[in-house]
Amino acid sequence: MFNEQLVWAIFFLPLISFALISLIIRPFFNQISVVSGPIAVLSIGASFVISIITFIETTINHNNPVGDPKNWLTIGNFELQVGILLDPLTATMLVVVTGVSLMVQIYSTFYMKNPESHHGTENQDGKRETHSAKPPDDKQEVQPAELGQPVYARYFAYMSLFTASMLGLVMASNVVQLFVFWELVGLCSYLLIGFWFHRPAAAAAAKKAFIVTRVGDFGFLLALMYLFSKTYQENINYLDIQTINDQLPGLVQAGTLGAGALTLIAIGFFVGAIGKSGQFPLHTWLPDAMEGPTPVSALIHAATMVTAGVFLVGRFFPIFQASQDAMMVVALVGGITALFAATMGLVSNDIKRVLAYSTVSQLGYMMLALGIGAYGVAIFHLFTHAFFKALLFLGSGSVNHATGTFDMRFMGGLRKKMPLTYITFLIGSLSLAGIFPLAGFWSKDEILLNSFMSGTDGGEIISLIVFVLAIMAVFMTAFYMFRALFMTFEGEFRGGSEKDPEAKPHGPVHLGESPFLMVVPMVILAVPAVIIGFIANPPGNLLGIEAHWMVHTLDHMYHLPKGEAFNIPLAAVSTLVALSGIALAIAMYKPKPIISAESIGKTLKPLHTILYKKYYFDELYEGVFVRQIYYRGIALASDWSDRNIVDRIVNIVGWLGANFGGLIRQFQNGQIQMYATVTSIGIIVIAAMFIFGD
């Protein structure tokens, strides 16, 4: 029987896994901590099965069994409730989060057993950093034995909490409940990005992610506080998501929520989404987040942290839709981010960073779609993207396991050595590039079509601009993904060898296919990367499947009109653009290239430098905002005011207390004669006032 308790189990099973591993196994049974992996896999696997049932019941059978929210806290007239908001958006996200997390946990059970083969990523200076716990020489401080080791219990405890936090976020029925899990997701990302916390690069990346996303969260908090104040002022629970979304037209018509207020609320939520989803200009934390273990990157980029921002905009889509200004901002930021991130992926030599820039770009596509009103299409692309992006990240971990590096300049020739990894990575790359008939083709084409048609229908110049940005990003996406594919798998191996592992600046090499537990999740994820787009959103009524059923079901949530149908000419054009990007990558990076990448790099050296330096955003934020404005401005001003104002006020108060106390002490000296004298004087004064007062 499908009921509310079953839906709650989706959230509580990973949470119980976290509690069991962190509070029982790790403190008391650390010697058998290897069981923490199977515990996490079983709990999340059970959540996945229930999520599938929930998805079928909610989106196909249109059955919503969830009961009323329960009162959690009462303060005066304010009641904080906890409950589940179960709709097609929630059901879709539950499948994405639990499905990808399950594959990542299975993959991690072996990947995290051998830390010495998992070497660091490229820092901003292009230098390599190792993950190994062993110090390079005896002069360095010897770290505790735990540092640098996978520590199964700690890793799987964090991952279970991460999954539970994201599930709690998508199931939340009110804004306060959502915000609590929103911050928990940020905490888990901090813990997992900095998992190798003894390495300065990992610790810095974790702090960077935490601080940058806090900037975005400030906007979210402002929007929440405004809704909270409106709840106190009026007899409407503005914190309940269903209430505000359903009653929004009436509230606008009644003038309770004006256009300006709606725009500010929407922009506040969107600023939070910009931070979490790594959109321009708060994108700088996402590439550095690659310092975490590779399975963590797969989970962050495919199903949890970064998709939370897209989910937030989708959850409050009626608010955005009511503000044309907010929609324009979302569309422009999404379009700029899609192209902006793709340009940086063109020159990166770190395979994980290429995928990170790809994620930022694809999230830009989703935001673009939301900004032009294509809500269902945006969530559809989030759905398909989760599977092929998780596949690609796990593939990068597989080649790292074999080569001991993430630097593609020291790879090559792995196609014959790692055939399964090659095939699955090729499938993921084709899907990401949007090649027919893989999953990415269907969702990417829907975004391009909706942006093109909304731009021509009504003369919306913004939509035309974002369409041009999106079609340019299509070319770049295909190019940088196949550049990565050819540099990694084609030609000859350019790294060290098993006989001479130190021939190149990376760790031990053991070329060969990855173990069974790492390959199986990649093979499983390759299946939806091929077919899920067609099954979830077929262009016509084929094989008994309703045309565009997923997008139409999502759009029906907010009574949106049906979007544009599949357009063959535009699909052909976008595919041609993607194929031209692949062709250019073949010409430049296949063995015996037709075009020399080095010569182009030298010819366009200034542009190459700008892209490689990520448009100098890190230097801008670190050098100007942190060092100049904060350290030399805000920090120095705060220090001066603390020493010259706060300290002096405190010292004056202390001086007054000490000296005034000394004065009063003279009247309490224990001499009876003094007390009698003072009393007599007081009587005389009172008598005089009484006699002569008139």
Side-chain angles (χ1 to χ4, degrees):
M1 174 64 75
F2 183 62
N3 53 36
E4 182 180 1
Q5 288 71 29
L6 199 62
V7 179
W8 274 115
I10 299 173
F11 163 71
F12 276 108
L13 283 169
L15 189 63
I16 291 171
S17 171
F18 163 72
L20 183 62
I21 294 170
S22 61
L23 301 179
I24 298 177
I25 292 178
R26 192 160 190 271
F28 303 108
F29 303 100
N30 198 39
Q31 66 275 15
I32 59 166
S33 61
V34 69
V35 303
S36 59
I39 289 173
V41 169
L42 290 173
S43 65
I44 295 171
S47 292
F48 175 64
V49 172
I50 303 173
S51 296
I52 293 292
I53 299 172
T54 304
F55 181 81
I56 294 172
E57 288 290 330
T58 304
T59 60
I60 298 177
N61 298 338
H62 306 290
N63 177 27
N64 186 347
V66 176
D68 295 329
K70 309 298 187 295
N71 286 343
W72 179 264
L73 182 66
T74 301
I75 304 175
N77 296 327
F78 173 71
E79 292 182 350
L80 177 60
Q81 297 178 323
V82 174
I84 298 174
L85 175 55
L86 186 58
D87 55 20
L89 175 60
T90 302
T92 302
M93 293 298 298
L94 291 178
V95 172
V96 168
V97 174
T98 56
V100 171
S101 181
L102 177 61
M103 294 299 102
V104 169
Q105 308 303 336
I106 295 172
Y107 182 95
S108 299
T109 55
F110 185 89
Y111 183 87
M112 294 302 293
K113 281 184 178 179
N114 186 17
E116 292 187 2
S117 67
H118 308 151
H119 290 262
T121 54
E122 179 182 314
N123 62 28
Q124 64 181 7
D125 297 323
K127 299 178 181 179
R128 307 299 301 170
E129 295 186 1
T130 179
H131 287 192
S132 174
K134 297 178 181 179
D137 56 62
D138 295 334
K139 296 180 181 179
Q140 292 194 5
E141 179 184 356
V142 178
Q143 301 285 357
E146 174 180 328
L147 298 182
Q149 302 301 316
V151 193
Y152 255 36
R154 179 162 65 92
Y155 174 81
F156 283 103
Y158 290 169
M159 292 290 270
S160 297
L161 181 61
F162 201 10
T163 303
S165 299
M166 188 63 189
L167 292 172
L169 189 154
V170 302
M171 294 166 63
S173 64
N174 66 77
V175 188
V176 176
Q177 185 181 346
L178 192 154
F179 186 74
V180 169
F181 288 109
W182 180 271
E183 293 302 321
L184 271 176
V185 167
L187 170 64
C188 293
S189 69
Y190 170 79
L191 295 173
L192 285 164
I193 292 170
F195 186 78
W196 313 106
F197 56 85
H198 66 293
R199 296 191 304 111
K207 288 187 290 185
K208 185 176 184 179
F210 193 80
I211 293 170
V212 172
T213 53
R214 291 292 74 69
V215 175
D217 291 355
F218 181 69
F220 186 176
L221 186 59
L222 289 178
L224 189 157
M225 292 172 66
Y226 181 81
L227 293 175
F228 181 80
S229 66
K230 293 289 286 184
T231 300
Y232 252 97
Q233 294 170 9
E234 302 173 21
N235 227 356
I236 301 173
N237 186 5
Y238 287 93
L239 296 176
D240 183 76
I241 297 171
Q242 193 73 49
T243 298
I244 190 170
N245 283 343
D246 290 347
Q247 298 185 18
L248 189 62
L251 296 172
V252 173
Q253 188 174 7
T256 306
L257 282 176
L262 285 172
T263 299
L264 291 176
I265 294 170
I267 295 299
F269 283 136
F270 184 55
V271 171
I274 287 175
K276 276 288 194 290
S277 291
Q279 298 293 281
F280 176 88
L282 300 181
H283 62 281
T284 55
W285 70 269
L286 205 48
D288 288 352
M290 299 302 99
E291 293 293 340
T294 300
V296 171
S297 302
L299 192 58
I300 287 177
H301 285 249
T304 52
M305 179 81 165
V306 296
T307 58
V310 177
F311 168 81
L312 182 67
V313 177
R315 175 54 81 206
F316 295 99
F317 186 73
I319 296 178
F320 285 85
Q321 195 179 29
S323 171
Q324 191 62 36
D325 292 336
M327 293 288 279
M328 180 183 67
V329 171
V330 173
L332 282 176
V333 170
I336 292 170
T337 303
L339 182 65
F340 177 77
T343 59
M344 292 184 284
L346 299 175
V347 300
S348 179
N349 294 315
D350 188 299
I351 189 170
K352 283 178 67 176
R353 274 182 165 78
V354 172
L355 297 177
Y357 291 127
S358 169
T359 299
V360 177
S361 181
Q362 296 303 306
L363 292 169
Y365 271 107
M366 299 171 204
M367 291 296 187
L368 182 159
L370 290 167
I372 60 174
Y375 161 76
V377 172
I379 304 305
F380 175 45
H381 191 53
L382 184 155
F383 183 72
T384 59
H385 173 266
F387 297 106
F388 58 73
K389 184 51 61 69
L391 168 61
L392 289 168
F393 267 107
L394 297 187
S396 70
S398 181
V399 297
N400 165 250
H401 179 265
T403 62
T405 183
F406 290 109
D407 195 326
M408 297 183 295
R409 293 172 295 184
F410 303 119
M411 296 182 186
L414 300 180
R415 178 166 57 88
K416 294 181 180 179
K417 298 286 187 179
M418 309 177 71
L420 290 176
T421 300
Y422 169 73
I423 293 171
T424 54
F425 199 90
L426 175 62
I427 290 171
S429 300
L430 288 169
S431 188
L432 177 57
I435 303 300
F436 178 85
L438 281 78
F441 167 80
W442 304 102
S443 56
K444 175 214 67 177
D445 184 71
E446 292 278 345
I447 293 175
L448 293 173
L449 176 61
N450 277 271
S451 62
F452 180 75
M453 297 304 293
S454 64
T456 55
D457 183 15
E460 291 290 342
I461 188 65
I462 297 299
S463 295
L464 290 175
I465 292 173
V466 297
F467 171 76
V468 173
L469 294 173
I471 204 72
M472 292 172 65
V474 168
F475 174 84
M476 295 183 184
T477 301
F479 174 79
Y480 66 63
M481 280 312 303
F482 278 82
R483 170 181 176 264
L485 184 80
F486 296 140
M487 289 181 68
T488 302
F489 292 98
E490 299 294 341
E492 299 295 329
F493 184 60
R494 298 179 295 275
S497 65
E498 291 173 310
K499 294 181 180 179
D500 185 15
E502 303 302 329
K504 294 290 182 182
H506 55 70
V509 175
H510 40 86
L511 299 181
E513 191 56 85
S514 295
F516 178 78
L517 287 177
M518 291 175 62
V519 171
V520 167
M522 293 190 292
V523 173
I524 294 174
L525 286 169
V527 175
V530 175
I531 66 173
I532 199 67
F534 179 80
I535 293 176
N537 214 45
N541 295 313
L542 302 174
L543 303 176
I545 304 174
E546 180 187 351
H548 298 274
W549 68 269
M550 186 176 191
V551 170
H552 290 169
T553 300
L554 289 163
D555 284 339
H556 183 69
M557 283 175 50
Y558 300 128
H559 311 290
L560 300 173
K562 291 184 178 181
E564 298 296 334
F566 182 75
N567 186 284
I568 295 178
L570 184 59
V573 170
S574 66
T575 301
L576 216 68
V577 171
L579 289 174
S580 63
I582 295 174
L584 181 60
I586 292 173
M588 293 178 64
Y589 291 99
K590 281 282 282 185
K592 299 180 180 179
I594 300 173
I595 304 173
S596 172
E598 289 76 12
S599 61
I600 293 179
K602 291 179 181 177
T603 303
L604 303 175
K605 188 174 181 180
L607 178 61
H608 182 277
T609 302
I610 291 173
L611 297 180
Y612 189 77
K613 289 290 187 180
K614 299 168 284 187
Y615 294 93
Y616 293 94
F617 266 85
D618 284 328
E619 287 78 4
L620 172 65
Y621 290 159
E622 183 71 23
V624 177
F625 289 102
V626 176
R627 298 187 184 280
Q628 299 295 329
I629 296 178
Y630 179 74
Y631 284 154
R632 297 185 180 180
I634 298 174
L636 287 177
S638 299
D639 177 66
W640 182 89
S641 64
D642 181 61
R643 287 185 289 103
N644 293 278
I645 299 176
V646 176
D647 284 355
R648 289 188 178 183
I649 291 174
V650 171
N651 291 337
I652 289 171
V653 171
W655 182 87
L656 288 173
N659 290 276
F660 191 64
L663 178 63
I664 296 176
R665 188 166 59 245
Q666 302 304 317
F667 297 96
Q668 296 289 335
N669 54 14
Q671 296 181 8
I672 303 250
Q673 300 92 325
M674 173 64 80
Y675 296 165
T677 302
V678 172
T679 303
S680 301
I681 293 173
I683 292 172
I684 293 171
V685 170
I686 293 171
M689 292 176 63
F690 181 77
I691 294 171
F692 302 105
D694 294 336

